[in-house]
Amino acid sequence: MTAQVFEDVHIGRGIWPLAQRGLVAIENGRLALFGSDRRLIARAPLSRVRARPAPFTGGRTLRVRVNGTRFTVSPGWGDRAGRLLRPGDPDRVARDSGALLRAIRRQGGTVG
């Protein structure tokens, strides 16, 4: 099975950002969160992953539990323009968030 990778992902815990341009990878029934430096933040089998859209974000930010640890994840949010980091295109962020939810559900994670 090929890996499904989401790049330019904002990953946080509560109000603390962990990665401005992180990465989420789903492969062989496992989900992994990587920081901007591509160091592993968290990894778990999808049976231990729960995800849902965060309230009041228009579907752009997801609440994701990985082995019981809560993260906020916004795929496509860390858009880079030269040396500047800016929020991504809202339509792309919403589309990528939906694609991430579908990938989690399809490979055995819990959505909702």
Side-chain angles (χ1 to χ4, degrees):
M1 179 176 292
T2 62
Q4 190 162 6
V5 177
F6 297 85
E7 297 189 45
D8 297 332
V9 179
H10 181 276
I11 301 170
R13 280 202 63 203
I15 62 169
W16 302 106
L18 300 175
Q20 294 292 318
R21 296 189 73 224
L23 181 132
V24 176
I26 299 175
E27 182 175 24
N28 297 326
R30 297 182 66 82
L31 178 133
L33 303 176
F34 295 93
S36 301
D37 58 1
R38 298 305 188 244
R39 288 188 184 172
L40 183 65
I41 295 172
R43 180 184 329 200
L46 279 160
S47 62
R48 302 270 304 144
V49 174
R50 296 180 64 93
R52 65 184 171 126
F56 311 112
T57 64
R60 294 184 192 110
T61 298
L62 305 177
R63 287 184 175 173
V64 179
R65 278 187 183 262
V66 180
N67 278 331
T69 303
R70 292 180 294 191
F71 296 95
T72 54
V73 176
S74 299
W77 190 254
D79 187 26
R80 179 145 329 254
R83 296 186 68 182
L84 298 174
L85 186 66
R86 61 183 181 199
D89 173 57
D91 292 331
R92 175 185 171 219
V93 175
R95 182 183 65 242
D96 288 354
S97 292
L100 178 55
L101 280 176
R102 287 188 298 278
I104 290 170
R105 180 184 299 124
R106 187 173 47 249
Q107 292 201 33
T110 302
V111 173

